[in-house]
Amino acid sequence: MRHNKKINHLGRKSAHRGAMLSNMAASLILNKRIITTVAKAKALRIYVEPMITCSKEDTTPHRRLVFSKLQNKEAVTELFREVSTKVATRPGGYTRIIKTGTRCGDSAEMCMMELVDYNTIYVGNEKKASVKAAKTTRRGGKKKAEPTAEVTTTEEPKAE
């Protein structure tokens, strides 16, 4: 039974696991989307979401706390400047895991992990939903009248 075993060890020692999660978190913050296995993504979600919550308040202690886990200055800067402003109103759930199938080599379940507020497909649908589209039917409806060209000639046709 798995009682009180909350950490997925991922088949690694603790130092290796910590370094791997740190690198993956930095890549996720810098690139906004990564492709990995489902088990690693679930472990990464537990690792990165508290850091994103911590970045909502830009203070020196919070920066130091996040840097101690990330060990990447560019990722910390990106997290506190851009990511924190996008997630400021969100109460949690900053990441999304989308399963993509299995890997060919070892049949491991793969997924795409992304930051929720940076997916333009889902954000774009919210804005488009407010604009009401014209209703279309399959039966055609009334056809528009074509403009009739009136012929007005001043010349009389010649009789031969």
Side-chain angles (χ1 to χ4, degrees):
M1 291 186 256
R2 284 194 75 242
H3 296 306
N4 295 327
K5 299 190 186 318
K6 296 182 179 177
I7 296 174
N8 186 355
H9 296 288
L10 300 172
R12 290 162 173 81
K13 301 284 185 184
S14 114
H16 184 190
R17 187 173 57 251
M20 181 193 66
L21 290 173
S22 174
N23 288 332
M24 288 175 66
S27 295
L28 179 66
I29 291 168
L30 291 174
N31 299 321
K32 312 302 186 263
R33 180 180 296 163
I34 59 172
I35 295 175
T36 184
T37 62
V38 174
K40 286 180 188 175
K42 288 180 179 179
L44 180 62
R45 178 172 46 193
I46 295 168
Y47 187 82
V48 79
E49 289 204 0
M51 283 193 278
I52 297 173
T53 302
C54 194
S55 73
K56 287 182 177 182
E57 188 177 340
D58 191 4
T59 60
T60 303
H62 283 142
R63 279 186 178 262
R64 287 181 178 166
L65 185 67
V66 170
F67 181 75
S68 71
K69 294 193 175 217
L70 279 182
Q71 296 294 319
N72 188 334
K73 287 182 183 180
E74 292 83 20
V76 173
T77 304
E78 179 84 11
L79 178 65
F80 277 89
R81 280 203 186 134
E82 295 176 17
V83 175
S84 65
T85 57
K86 280 221 175 193
V87 300
T89 59
R90 185 177 289 276
Y94 310 111
T95 57
R96 177 183 295 126
I97 296 174
I98 301 169
K99 293 183 181 181
T100 58
T102 57
R103 185 164 48 196
C104 292
D106 59 355
S107 190
E109 286 195 41
M110 299 298 289
C111 69
M112 178 176 60
M113 186 173 188
E114 64 185 6
L115 295 175
V116 171
D117 293 318
Y118 282 90
N119 190 327
T120 57
I121 296 170
Y122 293 115
V123 174
N125 284 343
E126 292 175 4
K127 293 178 183 177
K128 289 180 183 176
S130 63
V131 177
K132 196 169 187 178
K135 186 176 178 182
T136 59
T137 59
R138 293 181 63 183
R139 56 190 170 96
K142 295 182 181 179
K143 293 186 178 180
K144 294 181 181 178
E146 294 180 13
T148 57
E150 295 180 14
V151 179
T152 54
T153 57
T154 54
E155 297 178 17
E156 295 290 325
K158 296 180 182 178
E160 294 182 21

